[in-house]
Amino acid sequence: MNNRLISVKNLVKYFPIRKGVFRTIAGWVKAVDDISFDIYEGETLGLVGESGCGKSTAALTMFRLEEPTSGEIIYQGENIARISKKKMRDYRKDLQMIFQDPYSSLNPRMKIKNIIAEGLVVHNLLDNKKRMKKVGEVLERVGISANSMDRFPHEFSGGQRQRIGIARALALDPKIIICDEAVSALDVSIRSQIINLFKELQKEFNLTYLFIAHDLSVIKFVSDRVAVMYLGKMVEIAPTKKFFQKTMHPYAQALVSAVPVPNPDYKRHRILLPGDVPSPVDPPKGCHFHPRCPKVMEICSKAEPEFIEIEEGHFVACHLY
Ligand code: SF4
């Protein structure tokens, strides 16, 4: 295993629910509820879970795009959860994000050269001539002609716009990129091109990815390790091969059972979960998954399971183990 690049310890992000004229706090949305994990240099950690499980909030909070309620985020030996916003700007260059919808994340009134150079301007890097040279280089690297840099986002297709989003992140020579549902909105053929581009860039620039998706088949293809979240909690983390061979958490087992297998003779036993994901305002006591769990036991509604290492690198939060 490579060096730890970032360590998240007991990270919590609650959003207040305000009511009445005086906007008093009436409750909390427990979006991220005490999660701990590491990301290693040069790996792709795939983060999966149903929408609303807290995976995007966890990513935004890790980069201080949302302020953490509590917990630690250790990066380069420093707890970046507690440093000043001004100091955080120095780190932000290393930590880039690529979003699901490349159209809404690119300012339609800006030429793509200015969109890509924006981060360099904010961080006061390079003079204008060198910035434009860099813009041309990163555009070419993601498969778009440098001659297109004077065009606007609407002049590109969805796949090309996602390439522009990637070029914008690359311009800052980041160490870690969060890809938040970065291929979910793309057609299947374009999706595989973009995934291959991510893989090529990772090798070339030794990039580390936190790859967030609700589609476990995408996660299976891109990730070195898989992390599963349910209702604000981390429930399982394992190396990808181990995860699919020996999925341990009943929620993760249900997700895996829904992944299509390219073998017509294979009989799939899909695990259908009853009910919907409960509200993060008032999550169930004990194990958050217990009202839907096919293997629920008496203890599950009383005590919250600890997130423990069952085998080397395989962590799970479940009373079965
Ligand atoms: Fe199911 Fe209990 Fe494990 Fe939760 S702790 S996943 S309810 S068996």
Side-chain angles (χ1 to χ4, degrees):
M1 190 77 76
N2 290 346
N3 294 332
R4 250 183 219 111
L5 187 60
I6 197 157
S7 258
V8 173
K9 293 182 184 169
N10 307 107
L11 188 66
V12 172
K13 177 63 191 174
Y14 290 177
F15 294 98
I17 304 167
R18 295 183 185 275
K19 280 196 180 148
V21 190
F22 298 108
R23 314 294 299 143
T24 46
I25 296 175
W28 297 91
V29 177
K30 296 168 181 171
V32 175
D33 199 4
D34 192 2
I35 61 169
S36 300
F37 62 100
D38 297 321
I39 302 180
Y40 296 91
E41 204 177 344
E43 76 161 347
T44 299
L45 177 66
L47 182 56
V48 71
E50 285 161 289
S51 79
C53 70
K55 51 194 192 304
S56 294
T57 307
L60 293 170
T61 311
M62 267 173 67
F63 283 9
R64 296 274 304 272
L65 296 170
E66 291 287 356
E67 283 303 306
T69 304
S70 63
E72 293 183 1
I73 305 153
I74 309 296
Y75 177 69
Q76 294 189 345
E78 185 148 32
N79 179 11
I80 60 170
R82 289 286 160 254
I83 58 176
S84 67
K85 284 197 173 167
K86 192 165 166 274
K87 195 159 184 214
M88 186 62 207
R89 272 184 52 182
D90 299 340
Y91 286 117
R92 201 148 273 149
K93 176 184 139 337
D94 291 356
L95 315 167
Q96 290 296 303
M97 237 175 138
I98 296 169
F99 298 94
Q100 173 176 7
D101 182 353
Y103 196 59
S104 61
S105 67
L106 305 177
N107 186 336
R109 284 187 290 274
M110 282 169 79
K111 290 182 176 175
I112 60 165
K113 67 179 180 189
N114 296 326
I115 291 174
I116 295 170
E118 201 176 14
L120 297 168
V121 175
V122 169
H123 291 281
N124 207 12
L125 300 169
L126 309 177
D127 60 32
N128 196 40
K129 198 173 160 207
K130 286 186 181 146
R131 273 180 206 144
M132 288 305 121
K133 187 169 174 274
K134 180 93 182 179
V135 168
E137 283 167 7
V138 289
L139 271 176
E140 293 280 351
R141 183 59 199 85
V142 299
I144 292 182
S145 165
N147 295 331
S148 314
M149 69 166 78
D150 279 310
R151 290 162 64 187
F152 289 90
H154 72 268
E155 298 178 68
F156 295 88
S157 68
Q160 285 173 322
R161 285 198 292 263
Q162 197 53 297
R163 287 175 192 268
I164 294 165
I166 297 168
R168 175 173 58 183
L170 275 187
L172 286 161
D173 299 323
K175 294 203 166 46
I176 174 164
I177 299 182
I178 292 184
C179 308
D180 189 2
E181 301 281 4
V183 295
S184 306
L186 303 174
D187 291 343
V188 177
S189 60
I190 309 287
R191 184 183 298 178
S192 51
Q193 289 171 17
I194 298 292
I195 288 175
N196 287 335
L197 176 63
F198 276 126
K199 289 193 160 195
E200 286 166 26
L201 296 172
Q202 182 168 45
K203 262 198 201 142
E204 198 172 323
F205 300 106
N206 192 30
L207 291 171
T208 303
Y209 294 133
L210 175 60
F211 205 97
I212 301 172
H214 63 274
D215 183 345
L216 198 51
S217 43
V218 170
I219 292 285
K220 186 178 185 180
F221 184 65
V222 299
S223 308
D224 299 299
R225 290 189 304 140
V226 179
V228 183
M229 277 186 80
Y230 182 81
L231 206 57
K233 295 277 184 194
M234 195 64 85
V235 297
E236 185 160 356
I237 295 183
T240 304
K241 199 170 167 203
K242 205 182 247 187
F243 177 80
F244 282 94
Q245 275 171 353
K246 199 174 170 188
T247 317
M248 289 182 144
H249 194 279
Y251 173 65
Q253 287 169 350
L255 291 184
V256 170
S257 79
V259 175
V261 176
N263 176 358
D265 298 328
Y266 178 80
K267 271 214 167 59
R268 188 146 56 107
H269 297 288
R270 178 133 191 221
I271 303 167
L272 293 172
L273 297 175
D276 294 322
V277 183
S279 164
V281 175
D282 187 20
K285 300 257 174 318
C287 169
H288 285 188
F289 185 56
H290 85 260
R292 303 176 76 200
C293 181
K295 298 180 180 169
V296 63
M297 302 173 287
E298 211 184 323
I299 187 178
C300 303
S301 58
K302 297 191 177 105
E304 189 180 323
E306 268 182 66
F307 192 57
I308 49 170
E309 191 168 18
I310 302 288
E311 290 172 13
E312 201 193 341
H314 198 154
F315 296 80
V316 67
C318 175
H319 289 305
L320 288 170
Y321 308 101

